[in-house]
Amino acid sequence: MKCKEHYLTILLSLPSPPHKGSTVAITVETLADMLFCTTRNVKLIMRKLVEEGLVAWTAGVGRGNPSHMTILREFDEVIDEYFRELLAKGRMKEAIELMAHKAMPQATRERLRVLLDTQFGFQVEETPSSRRDVLRVTRGRKLATLDPAFVFSATEAYFLEQICDTLLVFDPAKKRFLPSIAHAWESNAEGSRWTFYLRKAVRFHHGRVLTAKDVQDTLERIRKVHSTSRWQYEDIERIEVVSDTIITFHLRQPNRFFLHYMSSVTMSILPHDVAFDERAIIGTGPFRMKENSEQVLVLEAFDDYFGHRALLDRVESWYMPERARDERHYMLPLADDAHAEQADQEEYVEYREQGCRYLIFNFKKSGIQHQLKFRQAMRIVYDRLALIRDLKGTRHLPADSFLPEKSSQTLFVEQSLEQARALLAESGYQGETLRLYYYDKRDENSDATWLQERCAAVGLTLSLHPLCITTFLDAGAVEDADMMLSGEVLENDIEWGMLRLFKDEGTAFFRFLNESQRALIDTYLHDFVLLQAEKDRADVFDRIEQLLKDELWMLYGVHMKRTPSYHRSLNGVKLDSFGWIDFCKLWIKPAGNLER
């Protein structure tokens, strides 16, 4: 394989890969630069290439005279062989890097991508004595932070939930809390003191048994690192470690909502004896982190997990920006005739995301967005019905709330752009260019371009500024924005998700609303944690959403619907609120056992 690697490196370093029979004049010194080696090693490498029948070589005579290399095998033939050999040996990283080589001809890259696709989805790695079930998925962007103290995006939160556990979990179907690390809990009558009883023999991935000190240290770390979610724990006055398996939280005031905080991803329990490292997170979850690089996140089943051992053995999430997330990313590759017969037998899971896309204005920056007439004009321009009609795709339902069931009760009427033009003139807009920020993803790019064109139709100039999601929390990352297209996918615990939306420093709301606006929202939320009835808490959210609609601080966009498909031999399929299938419960029915 090394000879082929050298051969391809040389050919890809030339202006264009030469065809079989072509002769290239080249110096040993140039080859040394291409191969990152000495001239002495170049001579050894060329001798090997000649022996393997890849090239014919005529050395130059005299100092400075070029040698002549004749190509004996076609570039595409050799690269296909080498690429298949990399895949057969499980060297996925090298295969992906080769495919992405800047000098790779586009037609060749597309052909290699087809070969690479056979390695994604569900794979079975069998030896005479064992079978390993592996899931490989792709993602079109780099991962943002996986630090539970700062995690703010859905994909990252989902992966973190596979690695770490919280004290308890929320069951959205029955709207109750279930045991996790804590097997039981209780509070005093007013809800100002909460005690959790921890399971015995819960092990971290590095082998040590979890104790109450780890719970205490996790909370103290949230405060120490100035977490964007620390507001959840500001009422904790004192933590009492009663024993290794009992911990009590003493609050400054009653909090009936406290269990929601302790089940949030922010409170993923970390070991107190290991410094946190985002590249090697240690938790107690069903999967342990095997690798976390820019290119791939690898999770392996944790055999000592205190719950049910995952049925999958390994999960790999590969960063491939040239390949957008595919709704079919749970498909099994049709690698043999037995599976090929099942090619038309797919299953579909349709789900509607809780949450919505929206447009929010930056009230921390001076500008026309502070004028209500301008925001009224933008409400007409950013028309929900027109957005769905023009772009279609996964845009499913016009939004009038973060909750689809509430939006479905609203009657929407499309207004004319002439009305927007008139409101824009009344607002005092003087033709200045406004900066629109949005996450650099396929759907968001389409929405931004659509909105720019609609604005142009009424005489409003927008400049587009795609934003990498990994930089959103950086200081100053969005301070120049006049407005931003964003979105929110709510967690299984929808009440906590709504509260986090308004309170967490990592949300667009916190980044774009000014202090007086946030203070007004806080007045609505002042007694929220004291309310025992879900209906009373829902009324609080209703009043906040009505405020947002009345003042147009943000404009609701659309709710999204996804329809991923998967092979019929896949079992245990159940989507979570983020649209991911629970990795722990997935298993693959062997092809020989499929019904015919």
Side-chain angles (χ1 to χ4, degrees), residues 262-284:
M262 302 311 283
S263 65
S264 76
V265 67
T266 308
M267 266 299 290
S268 300
I269 306 302
L270 302 171
H272 75 267
D273 58 337
V274 179
F276 180 80
D277 180 357
E278 200 160 339
R279 296 293 184 184
I281 299 175
I282 295 175
T284 62

mmCIF file with all atom_site columns, all heavy atoms in Angstrom, residues 262-284:
data_model
loop_
_atom_site.group_PDB
_atom_site.id
_atom_site.type_symbol
_atom_site.label_atom_id
_atom_site.label_alt_id
_atom_site.label_comp_id
_atom_site.label_asym_id
_atom_site.label_entity_id
_atom_site.label_seq_id
_atom_site.pdbx_PDB_ins_code
_atom_site.Cartn_x
_atom_site.Cartn_y
_atom_site.Cartn_z
_atom_site.occupancy
_atom_site.B_iso_or_equiv
_atom_site.pdbx_formal_charge
_atom_site.auth_seq_id
_atom_site.auth_comp_id
_atom_site.auth_asym_id
_atom_site.auth_atom_id
_atom_site.pdbx_PDB_model_num
ATOM 1   N N   . MET A 1 262 ? -32.081 19.276 38.158 1.00 0.00 ? 262 MET A N   1
ATOM 2   C CA  . MET A 1 262 ? -31.149 18.186 38.451 1.00 0.00 ? 262 MET A CA  1
ATOM 3   C C   . MET A 1 262 ? -31.167 17.093 37.383 1.00 0.00 ? 262 MET A C   1
ATOM 4   O O   . MET A 1 262 ? -30.321 16.207 37.374 1.00 0.00 ? 262 MET A O   1
ATOM 5   C CB  . MET A 1 262 ? -31.462 17.585 39.825 1.00 0.00 ? 262 MET A CB  1
ATOM 6   C CG  . MET A 1 262 ? -31.402 18.601 40.953 1.00 0.00 ? 262 MET A CG  1
ATOM 7   S SD  . MET A 1 262 ? -29.894 19.620 40.967 1.00 0.00 ? 262 MET A SD  1
ATOM 8   C CE  . MET A 1 262 ? -28.723 18.455 41.648 1.00 0.00 ? 262 MET A CE  1
ATOM 9   N N   . SER A 1 263 ? -32.144 17.143 36.481 1.00 0.00 ? 263 SER A N   1
ATOM 10  C CA  . SER A 1 263 ? -32.176 16.180 35.382 1.00 0.00 ? 263 SER A CA  1
ATOM 11  C C   . SER A 1 263 ? -31.703 16.799 34.071 1.00 0.00 ? 263 SER A C   1
ATOM 12  O O   . SER A 1 263 ? -31.688 16.142 33.033 1.00 0.00 ? 263 SER A O   1
ATOM 13  C CB  . SER A 1 263 ? -33.597 15.629 35.194 1.00 0.00 ? 263 SER A CB  1
ATOM 14  O OG  . SER A 1 263 ? -34.485 16.656 34.779 1.00 0.00 ? 263 SER A OG  1
ATOM 15  N N   . SER A 1 264 ? -31.307 18.079 34.097 1.00 0.00 ? 264 SER A N   1
ATOM 16  C CA  . SER A 1 264 ? -30.880 18.749 32.877 1.00 0.00 ? 264 SER A CA  1
ATOM 17  C C   . SER A 1 264 ? -29.473 18.300 32.501 1.00 0.00 ? 264 SER A C   1
ATOM 18  O O   . SER A 1 264 ? -28.672 17.878 33.346 1.00 0.00 ? 264 SER A O   1
ATOM 19  C CB  . SER A 1 264 ? -30.915 20.270 33.056 1.00 0.00 ? 264 SER A CB  1
ATOM 20  O OG  . SER A 1 264 ? -29.819 20.716 33.825 1.00 0.00 ? 264 SER A OG  1
ATOM 21  N N   . VAL A 1 265 ? -29.155 18.410 31.216 1.00 0.00 ? 265 VAL A N   1
ATOM 22  C CA  . VAL A 1 265 ? -27.857 17.959 30.717 1.00 0.00 ? 265 VAL A CA  1
ATOM 23  C C   . VAL A 1 265 ? -26.714 18.731 31.380 1.00 0.00 ? 265 VAL A C   1
ATOM 24  O O   . VAL A 1 265 ? -25.593 18.221 31.486 1.00 0.00 ? 265 VAL A O   1
ATOM 25  C CB  . VAL A 1 265 ? -27.803 18.095 29.174 1.00 0.00 ? 265 VAL A CB  1
ATOM 26  C CG1 . VAL A 1 265 ? -27.823 19.550 28.744 1.00 0.00 ? 265 VAL A CG1 1
ATOM 27  C CG2 . VAL A 1 265 ? -26.610 17.366 28.591 1.00 0.00 ? 265 VAL A CG2 1
ATOM 28  N N   . THR A 1 266 ? -27.004 19.933 31.864 1.00 0.00 ? 266 THR A N   1
ATOM 29  C CA  . THR A 1 266 ? -25.981 20.718 32.569 1.00 0.00 ? 266 THR A CA  1
ATOM 30  C C   . THR A 1 266 ? -25.456 19.981 33.789 1.00 0.00 ? 266 THR A C   1
ATOM 31  O O   . THR A 1 266 ? -24.278 20.098 34.141 1.00 0.00 ? 266 THR A O   1
ATOM 32  C CB  . THR A 1 266 ? -26.564 22.078 33.005 1.00 0.00 ? 266 THR A CB  1
ATOM 33  O OG1 . THR A 1 266 ? -27.157 22.715 31.886 1.00 0.00 ? 266 THR A OG1 1
ATOM 34  C CG2 . THR A 1 266 ? -25.490 22.967 33.600 1.00 0.00 ? 266 THR A CG2 1
ATOM 35  N N   . MET A 1 267 ? -26.328 19.196 34.438 1.00 0.00 ? 267 MET A N   1
ATOM 36  C CA  . MET A 1 267 ? -25.936 18.471 35.652 1.00 0.00 ? 267 MET A CA  1
ATOM 37  C C   . MET A 1 267 ? -25.479 17.041 35.336 1.00 0.00 ? 267 MET A C   1
ATOM 38  O O   . MET A 1 267 ? -25.690 16.134 36.133 1.00 0.00 ? 267 MET A O   1
ATOM 39  C CB  . MET A 1 267 ? -27.089 18.448 36.647 1.00 0.00 ? 267 MET A CB  1
ATOM 40  C CG  . MET A 1 267 ? -27.023 19.582 37.672 1.00 0.00 ? 267 MET A CG  1
ATOM 41  S SD  . MET A 1 267 ? -25.527 19.566 38.707 1.00 0.00 ? 267 MET A SD  1
ATOM 42  C CE  . MET A 1 267 ? -25.844 18.132 39.713 1.00 0.00 ? 267 MET A CE  1
ATOM 43  N N   . SER A 1 268 ? -24.854 16.855 34.182 1.00 0.00 ? 268 SER A N   1
ATOM 44  C CA  . SER A 1 268 ? -24.221 15.566 33.878 1.00 0.00 ? 268 SER A CA  1
ATOM 45  C C   . SER A 1 268 ? -23.077 15.353 34.854 1.00 0.00 ? 268 SER A C   1
ATOM 46  O O   . SER A 1 268 ? -22.168 16.183 34.951 1.00 0.00 ? 268 SER A O   1
ATOM 47  C CB  . SER A 1 268 ? -23.692 15.575 32.438 1.00 0.00 ? 268 SER A CB  1
ATOM 48  O OG  . SER A 1 268 ? -24.740 15.781 31.516 1.00 0.00 ? 268 SER A OG  1
ATOM 49  N N   . ILE A 1 269 ? -23.123 14.258 35.591 1.00 0.00 ? 269 ILE A N   1
ATOM 50  C CA  . ILE A 1 269 ? -22.179 14.067 36.691 1.00 0.00 ? 269 ILE A CA  1
ATOM 51  C C   . ILE A 1 269 ? -20.802 13.679 36.163 1.00 0.00 ? 269 ILE A C   1
ATOM 52  O O   . ILE A 1 269 ? -20.644 12.718 35.399 1.00 0.00 ? 269 ILE A O   1
ATOM 53  C CB  . ILE A 1 269 ? -22.688 13.006 37.684 1.00 0.00 ? 269 ILE A CB  1
ATOM 54  C CG1 . ILE A 1 269 ? -24.107 13.371 38.156 1.00 0.00 ? 269 ILE A CG1 1
ATOM 55  C CG2 . ILE A 1 269 ? -21.733 12.893 38.865 1.00 0.00 ? 269 ILE A CG2 1
ATOM 56  C CD1 . ILE A 1 269 ? -24.222 14.726 38.815 1.00 0.00 ? 269 ILE A CD1 1
ATOM 57  N N   . LEU A 1 270 ? -19.788 14.437 36.610 1.00 0.00 ? 270 LEU A N   1
ATOM 58  C CA  . LEU A 1 270 ? -18.398 14.233 36.212 1.00 0.00 ? 270 LEU A CA  1
ATOM 59  C C   . LEU A 1 270 ? -17.579 13.789 37.423 1.00 0.00 ? 270 LEU A C   1
ATOM 60  O O   . LEU A 1 270 ? -17.927 14.112 38.561 1.00 0.00 ? 270 LEU A O   1
ATOM 61  C CB  . LEU A 1 270 ? -17.819 15.527 35.642 1.00 0.00 ? 270 LEU A CB  1
ATOM 62  C CG  . LEU A 1 270 ? -18.551 16.127 34.428 1.00 0.00 ? 270 LEU A CG  1
ATOM 63  C CD1 . LEU A 1 270 ? -17.993 17.509 34.108 1.00 0.00 ? 270 LEU A CD1 1
ATOM 64  C CD2 . LEU A 1 270 ? -18.441 15.208 33.227 1.00 0.00 ? 270 LEU A CD2 1
ATOM 65  N N   . PRO A 1 271 ? -16.477 13.077 37.220 1.00 0.00 ? 271 PRO A N   1
ATOM 66  C CA  . PRO A 1 271 ? -15.655 12.625 38.352 1.00 0.00 ? 271 PRO A CA  1
ATOM 67  C C   . PRO A 1 271 ? -14.852 13.770 38.964 1.00 0.00 ? 271 PRO A C   1
ATOM 68  O O   . PRO A 1 271 ? -14.315 14.618 38.236 1.00 0.00 ? 271 PRO A O   1
ATOM 69  C CB  . PRO A 1 271 ? -14.736 11.579 37.713 1.00 0.00 ? 271 PRO A CB  1
ATOM 70  C CG  . PRO A 1 271 ? -14.631 11.986 36.281 1.00 0.00 ? 271 PRO A CG  1
ATOM 71  C CD  . PRO A 1 271 ? -15.961 12.577 35.921 1.00 0.00 ? 271 PRO A CD  1
ATOM 72  N N   . HIS A 1 272 ? -14.757 13.787 40.282 1.00 0.00 ? 272 HIS A N   1
ATOM 73  C CA  . HIS A 1 272 ? -14.044 14.873 40.947 1.00 0.00 ? 272 HIS A CA  1
ATOM 74  C C   . HIS A 1 272 ? -12.526 14.716 40.875 1.00 0.00 ? 272 HIS A C   1
ATOM 75  O O   . HIS A 1 272 ? -11.790 15.680 41.078 1.00 0.00 ? 272 HIS A O   1
ATOM 76  C CB  . HIS A 1 272 ? -14.471 14.964 42.426 1.00 0.00 ? 272 HIS A CB  1
ATOM 77  C CG  . HIS A 1 272 ? -13.894 13.883 43.298 1.00 0.00 ? 272 HIS A CG  1
ATOM 78  N ND1 . HIS A 1 272 ? -14.570 12.692 43.536 1.00 0.00 ? 272 HIS A ND1 1
ATOM 79  C CD2 . HIS A 1 272 ? -12.713 13.789 43.973 1.00 0.00 ? 272 HIS A CD2 1
ATOM 80  C CE1 . HIS A 1 272 ? -13.833 11.930 44.328 1.00 0.00 ? 272 HIS A CE1 1
ATOM 81  N NE2 . HIS A 1 272 ? -12.707 12.561 44.596 1.00 0.00 ? 272 HIS A NE2 1
ATOM 82  N N   . ASP A 1 273 ? -12.056 13.507 40.551 1.00 0.00 ? 273 ASP A N   1
ATOM 83  C CA  . ASP A 1 273 ? -10.616 13.243 40.606 1.00 0.00 ? 273 ASP A CA  1
ATOM 84  C C   . ASP A 1 273 ? -9.932  13.339 39.243 1.00 0.00 ? 273 ASP A C   1
ATOM 85  O O   . ASP A 1 273 ? -8.742  13.036 39.132 1.00 0.00 ? 273 ASP A O   1
ATOM 86  C CB  . ASP A 1 273 ? -10.367 11.853 41.201 1.00 0.00 ? 273 ASP A CB  1
ATOM 87  C CG  . ASP A 1 273 ? -11.039 10.734 40.412 1.00 0.00 ? 273 ASP A CG  1
ATOM 88  O OD1 . ASP A 1 273 ? -12.027 11.027 39.703 1.00 0.00 ? 273 ASP A OD1 1
ATOM 89  O OD2 . ASP A 1 273 ? -10.584 9.586  40.503 1.00 0.00 ? 273 ASP A OD2 1
ATOM 90  N N   . VAL A 1 274 ? -10.664 13.757 38.212 1.00 0.00 ? 274 VAL A N   1
ATOM 91  C CA  . VAL A 1 274 ? -10.083 13.894 36.871 1.00 0.00 ? 274 VAL A CA  1
ATOM 92  C C   . VAL A 1 274 ? -10.440 15.266 36.327 1.00 0.00 ? 274 VAL A C   1
ATOM 93  O O   . VAL A 1 274 ? -11.612 15.639 36.297 1.00 0.00 ? 274 VAL A O   1
ATOM 94  C CB  . VAL A 1 274 ? -10.614 12.800 35.916 1.00 0.00 ? 274 VAL A CB  1
ATOM 95  C CG1 . VAL A 1 274 ? -10.008 12.976 34.517 1.00 0.00 ? 274 VAL A CG1 1
ATOM 96  C CG2 . VAL A 1 274 ? -10.298 11.407 36.454 1.00 0.00 ? 274 VAL A CG2 1
ATOM 97  N N   . ALA A 1 275 ? -9.427  16.022 35.905 1.00 0.00 ? 275 ALA A N   1
ATOM 98  C CA  . ALA A 1 275 ? -9.686  17.332 35.312 1.00 0.00 ? 275 ALA A CA  1
ATOM 99  C C   . ALA A 1 275 ? -10.491 17.162 34.027 1.00 0.00 ? 275 ALA A C   1
ATOM 100 O O   . ALA A 1 275 ? -10.212 16.257 33.227 1.00 0.00 ? 275 ALA A O   1
ATOM 101 C CB  . ALA A 1 275 ? -8.362  18.040 35.025 1.00 0.00 ? 275 ALA A CB  1
ATOM 102 N N   . PHE A 1 276 ? -11.474 18.020 33.841 1.00 0.00 ? 276 PHE A N   1
ATOM 103 C CA  . PHE A 1 276 ? -12.332 17.894 32.668 1.00 0.00 ? 276 PHE A CA  1
ATOM 104 C C   . PHE A 1 276 ? -11.541 18.146 31.394 1.00 0.00 ? 276 PHE A C   1
ATOM 105 O O   . PHE A 1 276 ? -10.794 19.110 31.282 1.00 0.00 ? 276 PHE A O   1
ATOM 106 C CB  . PHE A 1 276 ? -13.502 18.873 32.748 1.00 0.00 ? 276 PHE A CB  1
ATOM 107 C CG  . PHE A 1 276 ? -14.433 18.784 31.569 1.00 0.00 ? 276 PHE A CG  1
ATOM 108 C CD1 . PHE A 1 276 ? -15.385 17.781 31.504 1.00 0.00 ? 276 PHE A CD1 1
ATOM 109 C CD2 . PHE A 1 276 ? -14.338 19.688 30.516 1.00 0.00 ? 276 PHE A CD2 1
ATOM 110 C CE1 . PHE A 1 276 ? -16.241 17.684 30.414 1.00 0.00 ? 276 PHE A CE1 1
ATOM 111 C CE2 . PHE A 1 276 ? -15.196 19.602 29.426 1.00 0.00 ? 276 PHE A CE2 1
ATOM 112 C CZ  . PHE A 1 276 ? -16.136 18.595 29.374 1.00 0.00 ? 276 PHE A CZ  1
ATOM 113 N N   . ASP A 1 277 ? -11.717 17.264 30.426 1.00 0.00 ? 277 ASP A N   1
ATOM 114 C CA  . ASP A 1 277 ? -11.064 17.372 29.124 1.00 0.00 ? 277 ASP A CA  1
ATOM 115 C C   . ASP A 1 277 ? -12.098 17.044 28.068 1.00 0.00 ? 277 ASP A C   1
ATOM 116 O O   . ASP A 1 277 ? -12.595 15.918 27.996 1.00 0.00 ? 277 ASP A O   1
ATOM 117 C CB  . ASP A 1 277 ? -9.872  16.402 29.031 1.00 0.00 ? 277 ASP A CB  1
ATOM 118 C CG  . ASP A 1 277 ? -9.156  16.487 27.695 1.00 0.00 ? 277 ASP A CG  1
ATOM 119 O OD1 . ASP A 1 277 ? -9.601  17.236 26.807 1.00 0.00 ? 277 ASP A OD1 1
ATOM 120 O OD2 . ASP A 1 277 ? -8.128  15.791 27.532 1.00 0.00 ? 277 ASP A OD2 1
ATOM 121 N N   . GLU A 1 278 ? -12.437 18.027 27.243 1.00 0.00 ? 278 GLU A N   1
ATOM 122 C CA  . GLU A 1 278 ? -13.480 17.838 26.246 1.00 0.00 ? 278 GLU A CA  1
ATOM 123 C C   . GLU A 1 278 ? -13.107 16.778 25.214 1.00 0.00 ? 278 GLU A C   1
ATOM 124 O O   . GLU A 1 278 ? -13.980 16.219 24.561 1.00 0.00 ? 278 GLU A O   1
ATOM 125 C CB  . GLU A 1 278 ? -13.778 19.169 25.555 1.00 0.00 ? 278 GLU A CB  1
ATOM 126 C CG  . GLU A 1 278 ? -15.120 19.201 24.880 1.00 0.00 ? 278 GLU A CG  1
ATOM 127 C CD  . GLU A 1 278 ? -15.612 20.617 24.623 1.00 0.00 ? 278 GLU A CD  1
ATOM 128 O OE1 . GLU A 1 278 ? -15.142 21.550 25.296 1.00 0.00 ? 278 GLU A OE1 1
ATOM 129 O OE2 . GLU A 1 278 ? -16.468 20.774 23.739 1.00 0.00 ? 278 GLU A OE2 1
ATOM 130 N N   . ARG A 1 279 ? -11.806 16.493 25.067 1.00 0.00 ? 279 ARG A N   1
ATOM 131 C CA  . ARG A 1 279 ? -11.363 15.463 24.125 1.00 0.00 ? 279 ARG A CA  1
ATOM 132 C C   . ARG A 1 279 ? -11.378 14.075 24.761 1.00 0.00 ? 279 ARG A C   1
ATOM 133 O O   . ARG A 1 279 ? -11.168 13.083 24.066 1.00 0.00 ? 279 ARG A O   1
ATOM 134 C CB  . ARG A 1 279 ? -9.948  15.779 23.628 1.00 0.00 ? 279 ARG A CB  1
ATOM 135 C CG  . ARG A 1 279 ? -9.835  17.056 22.829 1.00 0.00 ? 279 ARG A CG  1
ATOM 136 C CD  . ARG A 1 279 ? -10.572 16.949 21.521 1.00 0.00 ? 279 ARG A CD  1
ATOM 137 N NE  . ARG A 1 279 ? -10.414 18.135 20.680 1.00 0.00 ? 279 ARG A NE  1
ATOM 138 C CZ  . ARG A 1 279 ? -11.020 18.320 19.530 1.00 0.00 ? 279 ARG A CZ  1
ATOM 139 N NH1 . ARG A 1 279 ? -11.847 17.398 19.066 1.00 0.00 ? 279 ARG A NH1 1
ATOM 140 N NH2 . ARG A 1 279 ? -10.841 19.416 18.825 1.00 0.00 ? 279 ARG A NH2 1
ATOM 141 N N   . ALA A 1 280 ? -11.612 14.003 26.044 1.00 0.00 ? 280 ALA A N   1
ATOM 142 C CA  . ALA A 1 280 ? -11.629 12.704 26.725 1.00 0.00 ? 280 ALA A CA  1
ATOM 143 C C   . ALA A 1 280 ? -12.570 12.776 27.920 1.00 0.00 ? 280 ALA A C   1
ATOM 144 O O   . ALA A 1 280 ? -12.162 12.613 29.075 1.00 0.00 ? 280 ALA A O   1
ATOM 145 C CB  . ALA A 1 280 ? -10.223 12.322 27.169 1.00 0.00 ? 280 ALA A CB  1
ATOM 146 N N   . ILE A 1 281 ? -13.850 13.009 27.638 1.00 0.00 ? 281 ILE A N   1
ATOM 147 C CA  . ILE A 1 281 ? -14.840 13.164 28.710 1.00 0.00 ? 281 ILE A CA  1
ATOM 148 C C   . ILE A 1 281 ? -15.064 11.824 29.404 1.00 0.00 ? 281 ILE A C   1
ATOM 149 O O   . ILE A 1 281 ? -15.240 10.790 28.755 1.00 0.00 ? 281 ILE A O   1
ATOM 150 C CB  . ILE A 1 281 ? -16.166 13.692 28.146 1.00 0.00 ? 281 ILE A CB  1
ATOM 151 C CG1 . ILE A 1 281 ? -15.953 15.062 27.514 1.00 0.00 ? 281 ILE A CG1 1
ATOM 152 C CG2 . ILE A 1 281 ? -17.233 13.780 29.241 1.00 0.00 ? 281 ILE A CG2 1
ATOM 153 C CD1 . ILE A 1 281 ? -17.182 15.618 26.812 1.00 0.00 ? 281 ILE A CD1 1
ATOM 154 N N   . ILE A 1 282 ? -15.079 11.856 30.719 1.00 0.00 ? 282 ILE A N   1
ATOM 155 C CA  . ILE A 1 282 ? -15.355 10.662 31.522 1.00 0.00 ? 282 ILE A CA  1
ATOM 156 C C   . ILE A 1 282 ? -16.699 10.856 32.206 1.00 0.00 ? 282 ILE A C   1
ATOM 157 O O   . ILE A 1 282 ? -16.929 11.838 32.909 1.00 0.00 ? 282 ILE A O   1
ATOM 158 C CB  . ILE A 1 282 ? -14.250 10.429 32.566 1.00 0.00 ? 282 ILE A CB  1
ATOM 159 C CG1 . ILE A 1 282 ? -12.928 10.115 31.857 1.00 0.00 ? 282 ILE A CG1 1
ATOM 160 C CG2 . ILE A 1 282 ? -14.636 9.303  33.526 1.00 0.00 ? 282 ILE A CG2 1
ATOM 161 C CD1 . ILE A 1 282 ? -11.755 9.998  32.794 1.00 0.00 ? 282 ILE A CD1 1
ATOM 162 N N   . GLY A 1 283 ? -17.594 9.914  31.961 1.00 0.00 ? 283 GLY A N   1
ATOM 163 C CA  . GLY A 1 283 ? -18.896 9.945  32.611 1.00 0.00 ? 283 GLY A CA  1
ATOM 164 C C   . GLY A 1 283 ? -19.245 8.563  33.119 1.00 0.00 ? 283 GLY A C   1
ATOM 165 O O   . GLY A 1 283 ? -18.377 7.702  33.301 1.00 0.00 ? 283 GLY A O   1
ATOM 166 N N   . THR A 1 284 ? -20.536 8.331  33.329 1.00 0.00 ? 284 THR A N   1
ATOM 167 C CA  . THR A 1 284 ? -21.007 7.010  33.761 1.00 0.00 ? 284 THR A CA  1
ATOM 168 C C   . THR A 1 284 ? -21.975 6.423  32.746 1.00 0.00 ? 284 THR A C   1
ATOM 169 O O   . THR A 1 284 ? -22.607 5.403  33.002 1.00 0.00 ? 284 THR A O   1
ATOM 170 C CB  . THR A 1 284 ? -21.735 7.111  35.117 1.00 0.00 ? 284 THR A CB  1
ATOM 171 O OG1 . THR A 1 284 ? -22.888 7.957  34.953 1.00 0.00 ? 284 THR A OG1 1
ATOM 172 C CG2 . THR A 1 284 ? -20.832 7.672  36.202 1.00 0.00 ? 284 THR A CG2 1
#
